[in-house]
Amino acid sequence: MQESSSQEVILTILVSTSIILFFVCLLTYFFFRQQKKRFQHQQEVLELRESFNRTILQSKLEIQEHTLDHIAKELHANFSHLISLININLSAILAQSSSDMRPQISETKALVKELMNEVKTLSVSLNSEHIMQAGFVRKLENELQRLAKTTRYKVNYEKKGETVRLPSGEEIVLYRLCQEILNNIVKHSDATEVNVDLLFTNKNISLRIADNGKGFDTTLAATQAMEKESTGLLNIAGRAQHIDAQLKIHSIPGSGTTVNLEIPLNKYL
């Protein structure tokens, strides 16, 4: 009788333990299932947010490109026409002027001609159709030649590897990115030397743009750019993100600035 009672107790303990374990396993299953659903939801939210940001960035870049194209056409059509009329008037004045005034008028005509060339060059650099036709490499080299012609900068340029063409839209973005970097050098760096290294490999395009200017605090500059919505650094980062480029900006106050870009080619091959 006592043995039967002991067996019942053991059986009760086993059943109770099994029920408890079952509920523990069930709760654990529902807990992890809920965590998995929450994680998937967070991933979906992040993907939607990233997709939304990319769409906004794409729209912003398209608007900027449309604006630049419009400016390029206005420069070519209107400003070039006005400069041509000025030159015609100067030629008429030169023919009727006295000998002591002619050197000044001739100098003015030379300046007008130089202005015309600069307007044409600027118009071409802003026009996306010219960028697509010429290609990123040629357009970058043209920008560096313009920079060197100012005689303010010593420009060192080296290209290695066989040129790889990107889709036209991405070449435009890459070119605009380089324009932004060079523009920042001109506006802020107080540099006297600019070094550009461009390397094409089977896997990526590596671009390095360095100057010997005054440099800056990158952390502080990034914070101020977000607070003040300054477009320079934000445009560079946005365009790099748009073409899936890895961007690294290294700068120390008093020691110049180096910008490195790595553009993977796997999605184009």
Side-chain angles (χ1 to χ4, degrees):
M1 188 73 176
Q2 186 175 2
E3 183 179 348
S4 176
S5 177
S6 297
Q7 288 178 350
E8 289 178 0
V9 170
I10 293 172
L11 182 60
T12 302
I13 293 171
L14 288 173
V15 172
S16 300
T17 303
S18 299
I19 292 172
I20 292 170
L21 286 174
F22 172 75
F23 279 107
V24 168
C25 290
L26 191 64
L27 288 172
T28 303
Y29 167 76
F30 280 112
F31 173 77
F32 281 108
R33 185 179 178 183
Q34 188 65 26
Q35 288 295 101
K36 184 179 179 181
K37 284 185 177 180
R38 183 179 298 174
F39 177 75
Q40 288 176 340
H41 176 69
Q42 290 175 343
Q43 288 295 109
E44 289 173 359
V45 170
L46 288 174
E47 288 173 4
L48 285 172
R49 186 177 299 168
E50 183 177 349
S51 176
F52 176 75
N53 289 337
R54 281 184 172 272
T55 302
I56 292 295
L57 177 61
Q58 175 69 28
S59 299
K60 180 181 177 182
L61 292 177
E62 287 177 357
I63 292 170
Q64 289 177 344
E65 203 59 41
H66 178 74
T67 303
L68 291 174
D69 275 343
H70 177 71
I71 294 172
K73 290 172 182 176
E74 286 295 315
L75 284 172
H76 179 72
N78 296 330
F79 280 79
S80 296
H81 178 64
L82 289 174
I83 294 171
S84 297
L85 291 177
I86 292 171
N87 198 41
I88 292 170
N89 288 339
L90 285 173
S91 296
I93 294 170
L94 181 63
Q96 300 174 8
S97 62
S98 59
S99 58
D100 59 333
M101 289 294 295
R102 287 182 180 180
Q104 294 178 350
I105 297 174
S106 296
E107 177 65 21
T108 304
K109 278 178 60 63
L111 291 173
V112 168
K113 184 178 179 181
E114 186 178 340
L115 176 61
M116 173 69 85
N117 292 333
E118 286 297 320
V119 167
K120 286 182 177 179
T121 302
L122 181 59
S123 175
V124 168
S125 73
L126 294 177
N127 193 311
S128 57
E129 292 180 5
H130 284 91
I131 300 169
M132 288 187 285
Q133 291 173 3
F136 160 71
V137 173
R138 183 176 169 188
K139 296 300 294 182
L140 174 61
E141 290 171 351
N142 288 344
E143 284 294 316
L144 295 176
Q145 288 172 6
R146 285 183 63 198
L147 199 63
K149 282 181 182 179
T150 65
T151 68
R152 179 179 173 184
Y153 306 96
K154 178 183 178 183
V155 178
N156 303 305
Y157 169 69
E158 184 175 12
K159 173 185 171 294
K160 294 181 180 179
E162 186 176 351
T163 300
V164 177
R165 290 295 302 267
L166 302 179
S168 57
E170 303 206 1
E171 286 215 341
I172 291 172
V173 172
L174 181 56
Y175 173 64
R176 297 295 186 215
L177 195 159
C178 291
Q179 278 186 314
E180 194 77 53
I181 294 171
L182 294 174
N183 185 49
N184 282 349
I185 292 175
V186 172
K187 287 172 61 178
H188 306 297
S189 72
D190 291 336
T192 58
E193 186 172 340
V194 178
N195 298 292
V196 178
D197 298 297
L198 180 60
L199 172 65
F200 288 91
T201 69
N202 294 330
K203 294 182 179 180
N204 55 38
I205 301 172
S206 299
L207 178 65
R208 174 180 173 272
I209 301 177
D211 66 70
N212 66 342
K214 62 184 180 182
F216 61 95
D217 185 325
T218 53
T219 304
L220 179 61
T223 302
Q224 290 177 342
M226 294 299 293
E227 291 175 351
K228 300 179 181 178
E229 297 186 353
S230 177
T231 57
L233 290 176
L234 293 179
N235 277 348
I236 291 172
R239 288 191 167 98
Q241 180 185 359
H242 184 72
I243 57 175
D244 296 323
Q246 184 179 4
L247 171 70
K248 292 182 180 178
I249 301 176
H250 176 74
S251 186
I252 299 174
S255 299
T257 301
T258 300
V259 180
N260 288 295
L261 275 171
E262 293 283 340
I263 302 107
L265 295 175
N266 55 314
K267 67 178 181 179
Y268 307 115
L269 302 178

